[in-house]
């Protein structure tokens, strides 16, 4: 029985680099690029997917939530506002569609999964590997030769691929249009600056969830003064406008939908 090689494709640079490695080693015929669409992605992600797929010689296999929900709709349905610690959108929009596809199209005994963790993230491997069990999982970017994200982006440019604009705008990840709820204050401050309409939508969605739940919940946390308390996007926007020195610009956060499986 031939082995099926499934790359967990996010539309980010590390998933492309992982796919490049897998195809170089195993060829195109046995490789699948499995992309879970959150319906909240930046337009340039889809352009990158199309170009990268054509250059790699493997079509994108798209999966999505059966109801085609986006993260904000998931939060309403689950009556739980996603935040930097727990985000139901990861489970509902990424993990479940991928696991359903794997169950329908593959056999764990003849399938290897590939996840785009890089050399700075080996500590995340044990939990990730356990989460994808009983499948065997490999992490090519955690092995030599090591390359940082800047080098990988340069490789993609050299290959003639259109760069996802979130990278050029300073975002660490090319996910959810820059509005990932697992991102920190620095990400949201950047979103307000470059995509104010997306920030406004997220702020309105958070306000709606607070009213729906009748609780003082928020996506972000405020740790100033030694105490941890909710920090709404409305409050963060006011802080950006009036007290920018109070921002935690080291709080970048990150996606992790395919890597942090405890959602």
């Amino acid at each position: 029985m031939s082995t099926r090689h499934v790359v967990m494709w996010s539309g980010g640079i590390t998933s492309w680099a992982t796919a490049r490695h897998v195809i170089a080693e195993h060829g195109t015929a046995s490789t699948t690029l499995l992309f879970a669409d959150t319906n909240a992605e930046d337009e340039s992600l889809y352009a990158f997917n199309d170009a990268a797929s054509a250059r790699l010689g493997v079509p994108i296999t798209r999966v999505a939530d059966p109801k085609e929900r986006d993260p904000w709709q998931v939060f309403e349905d689950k009556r739980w506002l996603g935040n930097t610690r727990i985000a139901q959108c990861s489970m509902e929009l990424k993990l479940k569609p991928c696991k359903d596809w794997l169950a329908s199209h593959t056999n764990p005994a003849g399938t290897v999964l590939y996840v785009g963790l890089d050399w700075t993230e080996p500590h995340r491997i044990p939990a990730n590997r356990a989460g994808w069990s009983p499948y065997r999982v490999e992490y090519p970017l955690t092995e030599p030769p090591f390359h940082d994200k800047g080098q990988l982006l340069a490789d993609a440019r050299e290959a003639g691929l259109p760069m996802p604009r979130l990278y050029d705008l300073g975002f660490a990840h090319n996910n959810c249009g820059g509005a990932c709820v697992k991102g920190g204050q620095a990400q949201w401050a950047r979103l307000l600056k470059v995509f104010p309409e997306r920030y406004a939508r997220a702020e309105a969605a958070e306000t709606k969830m607070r009213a729906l739940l009748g609780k003082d919940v928020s996506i972000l946390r405020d740790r100033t003064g030694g105490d941890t308390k909710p920090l709404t996007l409305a409050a963060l926007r006011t802080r950006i406008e009036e007290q920018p020195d109070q921002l935690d610009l080291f709080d970048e956060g990150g996606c992790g939908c395919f890597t942090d499986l405890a959602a």
Side-chain angles (χ1 to χ4, degrees), residues 33-109:
L33 307 180
L34 187 60
F35 169 60
D37 194 344
T38 66
N39 296 303
E41 307 295 350
D42 188 77
E43 297 88 340
S44 67
L45 179 144
Y46 302 106
F48 178 77
N49 278 4
D50 290 344
S53 169
R55 186 61 58 92
L56 292 169
V58 178
I60 298 288
T61 297
R62 178 189 183 270
V63 295
D65 173 73
K67 298 179 182 178
E68 294 288 343
R69 293 176 297 176
D70 67 14
W72 309 111
Q73 293 167 319
V74 169
F75 300 152
E76 286 194 33
D77 289 347
K78 291 293 183 179
R79 297 183 67 83
W80 181 286
L81 179 62
N83 54 60
T84 53
R85 294 174 295 114
I86 300 175
Q88 295 286 352
C89 50
S90 294
M91 180 62 69
E92 297 297 320
L93 304 184
K94 288 282 191 177
L95 300 177
K96 282 186 178 180
C98 286
K99 289 189 174 186
D100 287 347
W101 186 91
L102 289 169
S104 298
H105 294 85
T106 68
N107 182 330

Side-chain angles (χ1 to χ4, degrees), residues 188-189 192 196 199-200 203 207 220 231-244 247:
W188 288 99
L192 178 62
Y199 191 101
E203 182 180 326
T207 300
L220 297 170
L231 177 64
T232 66
L233 293 178
L236 178 66
R237 175 173 49 78
T238 298
R239 184 174 294 181
I240 292 169
E241 293 168 351
E242 299 178 0
Q243 296 176 298
L247 296 179

Side-chain angles (χ1 to χ4, degrees), residues 171 177-179 186-196 198-199 202:
F171 290 90
Q187 174 206 267
W188 288 99
R190 185 176 299 109
L191 187 73
L192 178 62
K193 179 179 180 181
V194 301
F195 293 121
R198 294 183 188 180
Y199 191 101

Side-chain angles (χ1 to χ4, degrees), residues 123-141:
H123 58 285
R124 301 170 75 178
I125 289 177
N128 183 266
R129 186 164 274 152
W132 288 110
S133 178
Y135 286 89
R136 173 184 159 196
V137 191
E138 299 295 337
Y139 310 87
L141 302 187

